[in-house]
Amino acid sequence: MRVKQHTIKKQVTVSGVGLHTGVISNLTFLPAPPNHGFKFQRIDLEGMPIIDADVDNVVDVSRGTTLEQSGARVFTVEHVLAALVGLEIDNVLMQLDGPEPPILDGSSMQFIEVLEDAGFEEQNALRRFFEVPESISYRDPAREVELAALPLDDYRVTVMVDYNSPVLGSQHASITNINQFKNEIASCRTFCFLHELEMLYNQNLIKGGDLNNAIVVVDRVIEDSELAHLAKMFNKDKVEVRKEGILNNVELRYKNEPARHKLLDVVGDLALVGRPIKAQILAARPGHAANVAFAKKLKRAWEKIGPNHIPHYDPKLPPVMDINQISNILPHRYPFQLLDKIIYLDDTIVAGVKNVTINEPFFMGHFPNNPVMPGVLQVEAMAQTGGILVLSTVNDPENYWTYFLGIESCKFRKMVLPGDTLVFKCELLAPIRRGIAKMKGEAYVGNTLVCEAVMTASIVRKES
C-alpha cells in the first residue's frame, strides 16, 4: 500500500445518468490538499454545499448509499468511492451538478479510467491509516449477514454471497491486495433479480436503470407478456432471457461477477470510515445497510484511539523528510541539529523523530555517570520539529529564521535515556498570523508522553 497521501494532478469530468434519480449529471474530480479526504459538492444548489464522504452522513441505504449534509444529498456514492480507494487516492473534491453520480456501465471502471487520465500526485504527508487493533465484527442474524475486520498490515477483502438462486448459487470473491482492485473488481457491474425490478420501479428508483448498466438475474420462468412489459419499461424493442437466466442476453464479465460487485460495494461503503484501512475484511452476504453499520463500528473504534493519538513511527517506511532535506530548511548544525527525520507533515501538524545515543555531546557533562537527556534540549528538538511546520508555510524557507518567543505549560514527565527514540508531535493551536505561530508540542518514547509544552515562535526573513 502507498505510504504517502495522493491526489490527482488535474481536473477531469465524467458525465451520465444517475441510476436511481434518472438525472443526467456531470461529476468533476478536482485535486485537493493533504487530509482533505473525499468530499462531494453540489454546485447546482444555492451556496454550493459540501457533503463529506463520512459514514455519519449516511441517510439512506435502499439499493445504494446516500449521503446528506447541510440539507444537500448525494445518491449512490459507493461506486465512485470504490474507484478512489482502489487507486489509493486520498484527497479529492468531487463537484456534482446533480443529485447522483453517473451510473455509467454499473461498475467502477470508467471512474478508474478518467482518474488515471488525470494522473496522480504524491503529497508531502503520510497516509493516516486505521490499523484495526483487534477483531471487530457486525452481525445481522435475521438476514444471515456477518462482517468482520481482523488485524493485518495490509488491506484484503473476501466476500461470500448466497441468494438461494439456481442461477447464481453460492459465490466468492477476494482480493489479497488493494492494487488488485482495478483489474479484478472494478469492471464488475451492479445487479438485481427480476422480481426486484417492478418493486424498485414502483418505489421511484432505477429511473436511470438500463439493461446496459445492470445485470438482471432471472431466477424463475418468465412469460412472453412479462418480457413485453419489461421491454416497454426500459424502452426496448425486445427483451430476451438467456438460458442461464441473465436478462437480454447480457454476457457476464466473470462467472462470479455478482460476488465481485458486492466486494466493490464493500470497498466503496467502507471508504466512509474516513481513512484508509489496514485489515482483513471478511463479509458474508453483505449489503449497503450492513456495510454502513459495520463502517460505523469501525469509525467508532478509531475514534476511541483519538484524533490526537501518538504518531505512528515505522523505521522501515521512508520519511517525509530525511536529514538532508531537514538541513536544507533548518539553519541548525552540530551540536544543535537535534532532529533526524520528519515522518508526518500537513497544514497544521508535524511529527519528527530523534534517535538518542550515548554519543550525544551533552552526555559528556550532563550526569556522566547517569546519562539523562536535558529537558531543555528535548524542548529544543520539539521546537525544531515545529519549525519545520512553520517554515513549510513559505515558498523559500531557506531565507527565514525561526525564533522562540515563549514557552508555556512545559512539563517533563519521564527521563529520556540513551537508546530511546523520541517521537515529536507539534500542532498549531491557531492559524499563523504575521509570522507568529503558537503550537502544542508533545514528545513520546514508545507510548509514553515524556515532555509537553505550548510554544510560540516567529519566522523572520533573513534580510530583516
Side-chain angles (χ1 to χ4, degrees), residues 401-417:
W401 298 109
T402 55
Y403 296 112
F404 253 141
L405 296 182
I407 304 175
E408 306 168 50
S409 305
C410 185
K411 295 182 177 66
F412 303 102
R413 300 190 176 277
K414 190 174 181 181
M415 290 187 293
V416 177
L417 308 174

Side-chain angles (χ1 to χ4, degrees), residues 33 83 100 102 110 113 155 170 265 353:
E100 186 177 19
Q110 287 168 281
E113 291 169 351
Y155 192 36
S170 178
D265 282 343
V353 173

Side-chain angles (χ1 to χ4, degrees), residues 228-247:
H229 174 66
L230 290 170
K232 184 178 179 181
M233 184 188 299
F234 289 106
N235 297 314
K236 302 289 183 183
D237 293 332
K238 184 180 181 181
V239 171
E240 300 175 316
V241 181
R242 289 177 58 90
K243 61 181 180 180
E244 60 265 36
I246 305 298
L247 198 64

Side-chain angles (χ1 to χ4, degrees), residues 120-394:
F120 311 128
E121 182 175 290
E122 184 177 274
Q123 297 176 293
N124 198 26
L126 296 180
R127 304 182 79 191
R128 291 176 163 180
F129 289 102
F130 171 45
E131 301 183 34
V132 173
E134 58 187 9
S135 177
I136 301 171
S137 62
Y138 168 84
R139 295 187 64 206
D140 181 350
R143 299 185 180 184
E144 297 183 307
V145 172
E146 186 168 3
L147 294 98
L150 308 178
L152 183 74
D153 188 26
D154 209 335
Y155 192 36
R156 300 177 186 172
V157 185
T158 298
V159 168
M160 183 278 286
V161 296
D162 184 0
Y163 294 97
N164 296 316
S165 164
V167 176
L168 295 185
S170 178
Q171 295 187 358
H172 296 76
S174 65
I175 53 174
T176 57
N177 190 293
I178 195 62
N179 62 23
Q180 296 174 331
F181 181 88
K182 173 188 171 183
N183 294 328
E184 300 293 329
I185 303 299
S187 64
C188 296
R189 296 158 293 179
T190 190
F191 69 97
C192 69
F193 289 92
L194 178 64
H195 66 267
E196 297 175 298
L197 272 184
E198 194 80 36
M199 176 191 69
L200 293 170
Y201 190 79
N202 291 335
Q203 288 178 348
N204 219 22
L205 297 172
I206 63 167
K207 289 182 178 180
D210 189 277
L211 299 181
N212 296 322
N213 58 30
I215 300 166
V216 180
V217 180
V218 181
D219 52 355
R220 60 175 172 80
V221 176
I222 184 170
E223 302 294 335
D224 289 344
S225 60
E226 190 171 357
L227 287 174
H229 174 66
L230 290 170
K232 184 178 179 181
M233 184 188 299
F234 289 106
N235 297 314
K236 302 289 183 183
D237 293 332
K238 184 180 181 181
V239 171
E240 300 175 316
V241 181
R242 289 177 58 90
K243 61 181 180 180
E244 60 265 36
I246 305 298
L247 198 64
N248 217 36
N249 296 341
V250 172
E251 294 285 346
L252 292 179
R253 293 171 178 172
Y254 299 91
K255 187 175 181 179
N256 66 338
E257 186 171 355
R260 293 182 188 227
H261 184 81
K262 283 295 184 181
L263 192 153
L264 183 156
D265 282 343
V266 168
V267 170
D269 286 334
L270 293 189
L272 298 171
V273 171
R275 56 179 59 196
I277 299 168
K278 283 190 175 182
Q280 167 78 63
I281 305 296
L282 305 174
R285 305 176 185 87
H288 293 299
N291 295 346
V292 167
F294 183 52
K296 286 183 178 179
K297 288 195 74 171
L298 294 177
K299 184 178 178 183
R300 300 292 88 81
W302 76 252
E303 282 178 338
K304 286 183 180 179
I305 299 173
N308 298 318
H309 66 284
I310 304 165
H312 175 67
Y313 172 49
D314 186 344
K316 300 188 299 296
L317 299 179
V320 173
M321 291 185 188
D322 60 23
I323 188 60
N324 295 313
Q325 292 166 304
I326 292 170
S327 297
N328 289 335
I329 294 178
L330 290 181
H332 305 76
R333 293 296 181 265
Y334 176 87
F336 266 86
Q337 191 172 23
L338 299 175
L339 196 57
D340 296 324
K341 295 179 182 179
I342 293 296
I343 58 172
Y344 184 85
L345 179 63
D346 65 27
D347 293 340
T348 59
I349 299 174
V350 63
V353 173
K354 173 173 176 53
N355 297 297
V356 182
T357 78
I358 192 62
N359 291 316
E360 304 283 357
F362 49 77
F363 283 134
M364 293 177 60
H366 196 262
F367 306 164
N369 297 320
N370 180 27
V372 177
M373 183 176 181
V376 66
L377 293 183
Q378 295 176 43
V379 174
E380 172 63 25
M382 192 158 59
Q384 290 181 22
T385 305
I388 293 289
L389 174 59
V390 176
L391 289 169
S392 69
T393 63
V394 296

